[in-house]
Amino acid sequence: MDPVTIARWQFGITTVYHWFFVPITLALSFIVAIFQTLWVRSGNDKYLRLTKFYGKLFLINFAMGVVTGIVQEFQFGMNWSEYSRFVGDIFGAPLALEALLAFFMESVFLGLWIFGWDRLPQKIHAACIWMVAIGTNLSAIFILAANSFMQNPQGGVYNPVTDRAEMADFGAVLTNPVLLWALPHTLMASWLTASALVAAVSGWHLSKLNRTAAAAEEADGADAEPAKPKDNTEAAHRFAATFAAIAMLVSGVGLTLTGDESGKIMTQVQPMKMAAAEALYESAGGDGSGAPFSILTIGTLDGSRPLFAIEVPNLLSFLATGTWDGRVQGINELKEAHAQGQLVDPTNELQRAYADHMRAWGVETATPIIPVTYWSFRLMIGLGMAAVGVAVLLLWFLRKGKLPPNHIIWTLLMIAMTLGPLFANSFGWIFTEMGRQPWLVSGVLPTMAGISPGVTATEMLISVIGYTLVYGALAVVEVGLMLKYIKLGLPEVEPVQQITDDDDVLSFAY
C-alpha cells in the first residue's frame, strides 16, 4: 500500500476523533462558567445543580480531548517528519505557545476548580472556571493559527541553504486572513455544538418530567400520598434548555456571517477549494449572470457532469466574490493554469520563493477529491441548519410553561440535535483539509513530500490499526460515562461551606 495514503488515513482518523471533543470543550467551559456565576450572584441552587451536572460532563469530555490531542503532536514526528523539518520553525511556534500558555493555564485552573469547591471563596472559585474557559479558547487561537498557515502560508520565508521555511513575521502568522475568519467561525460552531448538547440533555429530562407529571395526575385520588415539596429540577432544566436553544440560534447566525466571509477569503487564496466545493468544472459568472449554488446534485460517478440538480441562481457568485454576478473560476480552468505553472496564489511570497522546488516534486494535478469536498461542504451546512431548526422546535414546546412531549420521537430528536452539530464540525474539517489537497502547505509543500522517509507502509498500517482499536475502546468509555451521568440527572447539592482548617485534605468535588 502507498505509505502516503496510510499516513493520511491515520491522521484523518485521529484528527476527526479528537475533534469530537474539542468544540464541546471550547463552549461548554463558558456555559458552565455562566451557570456558576449565576449561582454566585443569586444564591439559587438550581444554578449550582446545573454547574455540577454539566461540569461533570465537561470534565469527562476534557479528559478525552487531552488524551487524544497529545497523539496529534506525536504524529508530526512519527509519520510526517519531513513536514516537521520543513515548516517546524513556523508551525511549531503556535503549537509551543498553545502548550506553554493555554494548556498549562487551563490545567492549573481546572485543578483549582475541581478541588477548590470548599477551599476557595466562591467568587475566586468561579473565576477559576472562567480562566479554564479562556485557556481552552486561547488553545483554539494557536491551533488555528498553525492550521491557517497550511491554508495560506504567510509569515514565512524560504531559506535555500537549509531548505526550510523559516519564521519571518510571527505577527503575520497571527493576522493571517484565513485565521481572522476561521477563528470566529470555529468558535461559533463550538457554541452550536455545546449548546446543542445542553439543550438536548435538558430537553430530554424535561420530557421525562412530563411523563412524571402525567403519572402523578393519574394517581391523584383519595388514597394518593401527599404531594412532596416541589424541587427546582424542572426550573433548572427549563432554564438550561431555553438558554442553550437561544445560544444555538445566535451561534447559527454567527456561523452564517463568519462562514460567508471565510468563503470569500478561501476563494482568494484557495480558488480550487471553492470550485471543488461546488464541483464547478467550468468557470461561471462575470458575464452579467452569476454562478449558481447547487443544494443537491446527482451526477456521474466521476463527478464531472450533473444529471440532476437543485440550484439557487447566482448564490455561488455571492459566496465567492460578494457580488451576485461575480466570476468564479472552474476546476478545468484552474487545472490548466496549474499545468502552465501558475501558483495557487500568485501573490504569496513563500509560494513564489519555493516554486521551482515545488514543481520538481511533479504534482500532476492540483485537484482534490471532488465528491468528498462537495458533500462534506453540504453536510456541514445542512446538519448545522437542521440542529438550529430543532432548537426552534424546542423553544416552541417550552413556551408558556409547557413541557415537551414524552415520546420516542422527541428522544430521537434530542439525540439528533446532539449529533448533528458534532458531525457538522467533523465534515467541516474534512472539507477544510481534503479541499487543500494535494498540498500540506497550500501551493508550497505537496502532501507526498511531507511523510517520514524511514517509516514503511507496514509500520504505518500497524499504527493505524492500533490507534483505531484504542480509540474504539475509548469511545465506548466516553459514551458510557456520558450516558451514565446524563441519565442520573441533576445532583442534589448541599450548601457550600469553605473549609479553613489547614489539616483537612483536598477532596475531589465530583
Side-chain angles (χ1 to χ4, degrees):
M1 294 182 67
D2 179 16
V4 177
T5 301
I6 301 175
R8 288 179 62 190
W9 268 106
Q10 176 172 306
F11 202 85
I13 291 170
T14 54
T15 301
V16 170
Y17 188 92
H18 173 63
W19 195 251
F20 280 131
F21 311 108
V22 173
I24 296 177
T25 300
L26 288 175
L28 189 56
S29 56
F30 274 116
I31 293 174
V32 173
I34 291 171
F35 288 163
Q36 184 168 353
T37 302
L38 290 171
W39 168 66
V40 170
R41 291 178 63 87
S42 69
N44 192 326
D45 280 352
K46 75 177 183 181
Y47 299 121
L48 178 59
R49 297 179 74 191
L50 288 172
T51 302
K52 294 272 189 176
F53 178 63
Y54 286 107
K56 183 170 294 184
L57 301 184
F58 166 74
L59 289 176
I60 295 171
N61 192 79
F62 182 89
M64 291 293 293
V66 171
V67 171
T68 56
I70 292 174
V71 174
Q72 299 303 102
E73 296 191 8
F74 284 162
Q75 286 189 95
F76 292 122
M78 293 166 52
N79 291 348
W80 302 98
S81 62
E82 276 300 301
Y83 168 78
S84 300
R85 182 198 65 80
F86 184 76
V87 297
D89 189 67
I90 304 170
F91 192 82
L95 292 185
L97 286 173
E98 189 270 339
L100 294 174
L101 294 180
F103 182 70
F104 283 178
M105 174 182 173
E106 58 188 293
S107 300
V108 167
F109 283 101
L110 185 62
L112 291 172
W113 188 70
I114 293 172
F115 295 104
W117 278 96
D118 51 6
R119 285 282 182 174
L120 298 174
Q122 287 184 1
K123 292 183 179 180
I124 294 178
H125 186 257
C128 289
I129 189 61
W130 279 105
M131 294 302 289
V132 172
I134 293 170
T136 58
N137 285 262
L138 278 177
S139 293
I141 295 175
F142 294 125
I143 295 300
L144 287 172
N147 183 268
S148 295
F149 175 81
M150 299 171 70
Q151 313 296 334
N152 180 36
Q154 288 192 355
V157 296
Y158 175 63
N159 186 336
V161 177
T162 60
D163 189 31
R164 298 176 67 227
E166 298 179 354
M167 181 77 74
D169 185 356
F170 189 57
V173 175
L174 294 180
T175 56
N176 191 323
V178 174
L179 171 64
L180 296 181
W181 287 108
L183 177 61
H185 191 66
T186 301
L187 295 182
M188 287 294 101
S190 299
W191 269 93
L192 179 66
T193 306
S195 300
L197 173 66
V198 174
V201 170
S202 287
W204 178 71
H205 276 288
L206 287 171
S207 71
K208 288 178 60 182
L209 291 174
N210 195 359
R211 176 177 60 190
T212 304
E217 291 179 2
E218 293 177 1
D220 189 17
D223 57 346
E225 295 182 3
K228 296 181 180 179
K230 185 177 181 180
D231 65 13
N232 58 14
T233 298
E234 180 181 333
H237 278 306
R238 182 178 293 277
F239 172 81
T242 303
F243 171 86
I246 293 173
M248 289 178 69
L249 300 183
V250 174
S251 58
V253 174
L255 277 168
T256 302
L257 298 176
T258 57
D260 175 62
E261 291 297 330
S262 295
K264 293 172 175 55
I265 296 296
M266 180 176 67
T267 303
Q268 296 174 19
V269 300
Q270 295 176 294
M272 180 62 83
K273 183 186 289 187
M274 175 55 82
E278 179 57 21
L280 183 70
Y281 277 81
E282 301 300 331
S283 301
D287 55 357
S289 62
F293 179 86
S294 67
I295 298 176
L296 173 66
T297 296
I298 300 175
T300 57
L301 292 178
D302 61 359
S304 61
R305 182 171 57 87
L307 300 176
F308 171 79
I310 302 175
E311 297 180 335
V312 179
N314 302 342
L315 182 57
L316 180 61
S317 287
F318 181 80
L319 293 175
T321 68
T323 62
W324 294 102
D325 59 350
R327 186 174 187 274
V328 183
Q329 289 179 291
I331 294 170
N332 291 333
E333 179 182 338
L334 292 168
K335 287 173 64 177
E336 180 64 24
H338 173 77
Q340 294 177 1
Q342 180 176 306
L343 301 175
V344 174
D345 180 6
T347 66
N348 189 278
E349 295 182 10
L350 185 57
Q351 290 183 17
R352 293 203 308 265
Y354 195 69
D356 292 337
H357 299 269
M358 178 271 292
R359 296 186 183 105
W361 282 102
V363 180
E364 296 180 357
T365 176
T367 306
I369 302 174
I370 305 302
V372 173
T373 52
Y374 179 89
W375 286 110
S376 59
F377 188 63
R378 277 146 186 80
L379 288 169
M380 171 189 68
I381 297 172
L383 291 173
M385 293 178 64
V388 172
V390 179
V392 173
L393 185 65
L394 175 60
L395 289 174
W396 172 260
F397 277 111
L398 293 179
R399 73 193 191 283
K400 299 180 180 179
K402 296 181 180 180
L403 291 172
N406 174 39
H407 196 280
I408 184 62
I409 295 179
W410 182 257
T411 299
L412 293 176
L413 275 175
M414 294 301 97
I415 294 174
M417 184 163 65
T418 304
L419 297 180
L422 270 177
F423 286 111
N425 270 279
S426 295
F427 283 120
W429 274 108
I430 290 171
F431 168 73
T432 299
E433 299 304 296
M434 292 293 289
R436 191 187 63 243
Q437 297 304 313
W439 311 102
L440 273 177
V441 180
S442 182
V444 178
L445 187 69
T447 302
M448 62 182 177
I451 65 168
S452 301
V455 182
T456 66
T458 301
E459 291 169 334
M460 289 185 183
L461 184 60
I462 292 173
S463 65
V464 169
I465 295 173
Y467 275 126
T468 302
L469 292 176
V470 171
Y471 277 24
L474 289 175
V476 174
V477 174
E478 160 80 7
V479 174
L481 287 173
M482 293 289 282
L483 290 178
K484 173 184 176 181
Y485 289 106
I486 286 173
K487 290 178 180 179
L488 287 176
L490 298 179
E492 298 298 329
V493 294
E494 300 292 336
V496 178
Q497 297 180 349
Q498 186 178 351
I499 296 175
T500 57
D501 187 355
D502 292 336
D503 292 333
D504 287 335
V505 297
L506 293 173
S507 60
F508 187 65
Y510 293 90

